[in-house]
Coordinates of all heavy atoms in Angstrom, one line a residue:
K3 N 10.4 -51.3 244.9 CA 9.6 -52.4 244.0 C 8.4 -53.0 244.8 O 7.3 -53.2 244.2 CB 10.6 -53.6 243.8 CG 11.6 -53.3 242.8 CD 12.5 -54.5 242.5 CE 13.7 -54.3 241.5 NZ 14.6 -55.3 241.4
N4 N 8.6 -53.1 246.1 CA 7.5 -53.6 246.9 C 6.3 -52.6 246.9 O 5.1 -52.9 246.9 CB 7.8 -53.9 248.4 CG 8.5 -55.3 248.5 OD1 8.4 -56.0 247.5 ND2 9.4 -55.4 249.5
F5 N 6.7 -51.3 247.0 CA 5.6 -50.3 247.0 C 4.9 -50.3 245.6 O 3.7 -50.2 245.6 CB 6.2 -48.9 247.1 CG 6.6 -48.7 248.6 CD1 7.6 -47.7 248.9 CD2 5.8 -49.1 249.7 CE1 7.9 -47.4 250.1 CE2 6.2 -48.8 251.0 CZ 7.2 -47.9 251.3
I6 N 5.7 -50.4 244.6 CA 5.1 -50.5 243.2 C 4.1 -51.7 243.1 O 3.0 -51.6 242.5 CB 6.1 -50.4 242.2 CG1 6.7 -49.0 242.1 CG2 5.6 -50.7 240.8 CD1 8.0 -49.0 241.2
K7 N 4.6 -52.9 243.5 CA 3.8 -54.1 243.6 C 2.5 -53.9 244.4 O 1.4 -54.2 243.8 CB 4.4 -55.3 244.1 CG 5.3 -56.0 243.1 CD 5.9 -57.3 243.9 CE 7.2 -57.9 243.3 NZ 7.6 -59.0 244.1
T8 N 2.5 -53.4 245.5 CA 1.4 -53.1 246.3 C 0.4 -52.2 245.6 O -0.8 -52.4 245.6 CB 1.9 -52.5 247.7 OG1 2.8 -53.4 248.2 CG2 0.7 -52.4 248.5
A9 N 0.9 -51.1 245.1 CA 0.1 -50.1 244.4 C -0.6 -50.8 243.2 O -1.8 -50.6 243.0 CB 1.0 -49.0 243.9
F10 N 0.0 -51.7 242.4 CA -0.7 -52.3 241.3 C -1.5 -53.3 241.8 O -2.7 -53.4 241.1 CB 0.4 -52.9 240.3 CG 0.9 -51.9 239.3 CD1 2.3 -51.4 239.3 CD2 0.1 -51.4 238.4 CE1 2.8 -50.6 238.4 CE2 0.5 -50.4 237.5 CZ 2.0 -50.0 237.5
R11 N -1.4 -54.0 242.7 CA -2.3 -54.9 243.4 C -3.6 -54.2 243.7 O -4.7 -54.7 243.5 CB -1.7 -55.7 244.5 CG -0.7 -56.8 244.2 CD -0.2 -57.4 245.4 NE 0.8 -58.4 244.9 CZ 1.9 -58.6 245.8 NH1 1.9 -58.2 247.0 NH2 2.9 -59.5 245.2
N12 N -3.4 -53.1 244.5 CA -4.6 -52.3 244.9 C -5.4 -51.7 243.7 O -6.6 -51.7 243.8 CB -4.1 -51.3 246.0 CG -3.8 -51.8 247.3 OD1 -4.2 -52.7 247.6 ND2 -3.0 -51.1 248.0
L13 N -4.7 -51.3 242.8 CA -5.3 -50.7 241.6 C -6.2 -51.9 240.9 O -7.2 -51.6 240.4 CB -4.3 -50.1 240.5 CG -3.7 -48.9 241.0 CD1 -2.6 -48.4 240.0 CD2 -4.8 -47.7 241.0
W14 N -5.5 -53.1 240.8 CA -6.1 -54.1 240.2 C -7.4 -54.7 240.9 O -8.4 -55.2 240.3 CB -5.1 -55.3 239.8 CG -5.6 -56.2 238.9 CD1 -6.0 -57.6 239.1 CD2 -5.7 -56.0 237.4 NE1 -6.4 -58.2 237.9 CE2 -6.2 -57.2 236.9 CE3 -5.5 -55.0 236.6 CZ2 -6.4 -57.4 235.6 CZ3 -5.7 -55.2 235.3 CH2 -6.3 -56.3 234.8
K15 N -7.3 -54.6 242.3 CA -8.3 -55.2 243.1 C -9.5 -54.2 243.1 O -10.7 -54.8 243.0 CB -7.8 -55.2 244.6 CG -8.7 -56.1 245.4 CD -8.3 -56.0 246.9 CE -6.8 -56.1 247.2 NZ -6.5 -56.1 248.6
T16 N -9.3 -53.0 242.9 CA -10.4 -52.0 242.9 C -10.5 -51.3 241.5 O -10.2 -50.0 241.5 CB -10.3 -51.0 244.1 OG1 -9.2 -50.4 243.9 CG2 -10.5 -51.7 245.4
K17 N -10.8 -52.1 240.4 CA -10.6 -51.5 239.2 C -11.4 -50.3 238.9 O -11.1 -49.2 238.2 CB -11.0 -52.7 238.1 CG -10.0 -53.7 238.1 CD -10.4 -54.8 237.0 CE -9.5 -55.9 237.2 NZ -10.1 -57.1 236.3
G18 N -12.8 -50.4 239.2 CA -13.7 -49.2 239.1 C -13.4 -48.1 239.8 O -13.2 -46.9 239.2
Y19 N -13.1 -48.1 241.0 CA -12.7 -47.0 241.8 C -11.3 -46.5 241.4 O -11.3 -45.2 241.3 CB -12.6 -47.5 243.3 CG -12.3 -46.3 244.2 CD1 -13.2 -45.5 244.5 CD2 -11.0 -46.3 244.9 CE1 -13.1 -44.5 245.4 CE2 -10.8 -45.3 245.8 CZ -11.8 -44.4 246.1 OH -11.6 -43.4 246.9
S20 N -10.4 -47.3 240.9 CA -9.2 -46.8 240.4 C -9.4 -46.0 239.1 O -8.6 -45.0 239.0 CB -8.2 -48.0 240.2 OG -7.9 -48.6 241.5
F21 N -10.1 -46.6 238.2 CA -10.5 -46.0 236.9 C -11.0 -44.5 237.2 O -10.6 -43.6 236.6 CB -11.5 -46.7 236.1 CG -11.9 -46.0 234.9 CD1 -10.9 -45.9 233.8 CD2 -13.0 -45.5 234.8 CE1 -11.6 -45.2 232.6 CE2 -13.5 -44.8 233.7 CZ -12.8 -44.6 232.6
L22 N -12.1 -44.5 238.1 CA -12.6 -43.1 238.4 C -11.5 -42.2 239.0 O -11.5 -41.0 238.5 CB -13.7 -43.3 239.5 CG -15.1 -43.9 238.9 CD1 -16.0 -44.1 240.0 CD2 -15.5 -43.0 237.8
N23 N -10.7 -42.6 239.9 CA -9.6 -41.7 240.5 C -8.7 -41.2 239.3 O -8.4 -40.1 239.2 CB -8.9 -42.4 241.6 CG -9.7 -42.4 242.9 OD1 -10.4 -41.4 243.1 ND2 -9.4 -43.3 243.6
I24 N -8.2 -42.2 238.5 CA -7.2 -41.8 237.5 C -7.8 -40.9 236.5 O -7.2 -40.0 236.0 CB -6.5 -43.1 237.0 CG1 -5.8 -43.7 238.0 CG2 -5.7 -42.8 235.7 CD1 -5.3 -45.3 237.6
F25 N -9.0 -41.4 236.1 CA -9.7 -40.4 235.0 C -10.1 -39.1 235.5 O -9.9 -38.1 234.7 CB -11.1 -41.2 234.6 CG -11.9 -40.5 233.4 CD1 -11.3 -40.7 232.2 CD2 -13.0 -39.9 233.7 CE1 -12.0 -40.0 231.1 CE2 -13.7 -39.4 232.7 CZ -13.2 -39.3 231.3
G26 N -10.5 -39.0 236.8 CA -10.8 -37.7 237.4 C -9.5 -36.9 237.5 O -9.5 -35.6 237.2
L27 N -8.4 -37.5 237.8 CA -7.1 -36.8 237.8 C -6.7 -36.2 236.5 O -6.2 -35.1 236.3 CB -6.1 -37.7 238.4 CG -4.6 -37.1 238.7 CD1 -4.7 -36.0 239.6 CD2 -3.7 -38.1 239.1
A28 N -6.8 -37.1 235.5 CA -6.4 -36.8 234.1 C -7.3 -35.6 233.6 O -6.8 -34.7 233.0 CB -6.6 -37.9 233.1
I29 N -8.6 -35.7 233.8 CA -9.6 -34.5 233.5 C -9.1 -33.4 234.1 O -9.2 -32.2 233.7 CB -11.0 -34.8 233.8 CG1 -11.5 -36.1 232.8 CG2 -11.9 -33.8 233.5 CD1 -11.5 -35.8 231.3
G30 N -8.8 -33.3 235.5 CA -8.5 -32.2 236.3 C -7.2 -31.4 235.9 O -7.1 -30.3 235.6
I31 N -6.2 -32.4 235.5 CA -5.0 -31.8 234.9 C -5.2 -31.2 233.6 O -4.5 -30.1 233.3 CB -3.9 -32.9 234.9 CG1 -3.5 -33.4 236.3 CG2 -2.6 -32.5 234.1 CD1 -2.6 -34.5 236.4
A32 N -5.9 -31.8 232.8 CA -6.2 -31.3 231.3 C -6.9 -30.0 231.5 O -6.6 -29.0 230.8 CB -7.1 -32.4 230.5
A33 N -7.9 -29.9 232.5 CA -8.7 -28.6 232.5 C -7.7 -27.5 233.1 O -7.9 -26.3 232.6 CB -9.9 -28.9 233.5
A34 N -7.0 -27.8 234.1 CA -6.1 -26.9 234.7 C -4.9 -26.4 233.6 O -4.6 -25.2 233.6 CB -5.3 -27.4 235.9
S35 N -4.5 -27.3 232.8 CA -3.7 -26.9 231.7 C -4.3 -25.9 230.7 O -3.8 -25.0 230.3 CB -3.0 -28.1 231.0 OG -2.5 -29.0 231.9

């Protein structure tokens, strides 16, 4: 639970960077598929 809380806090703190990382990962997985 603490790991999940920390992860969400970090994602929320760096919204733009987090969006780029998650969006890039999604595009990479879609392209590989």
Side-chain angles (χ1 to χ4, degrees):
K3 284 181 187 177
N4 284 336
F5 283 151
I6 292 172
K7 274 186 195 178
T8 305
F10 276 115
R11 283 181 189 151
N12 286 334
L13 287 173
W14 197 251
K15 194 187 314 180
T16 56
K17 292 177 191 169
Y19 186 70
S20 299
F21 171 77
L22 284 176
N23 278 332
I24 294 169
F25 185 70
L27 180 64
I29 294 294
I31 290 172
S35 298

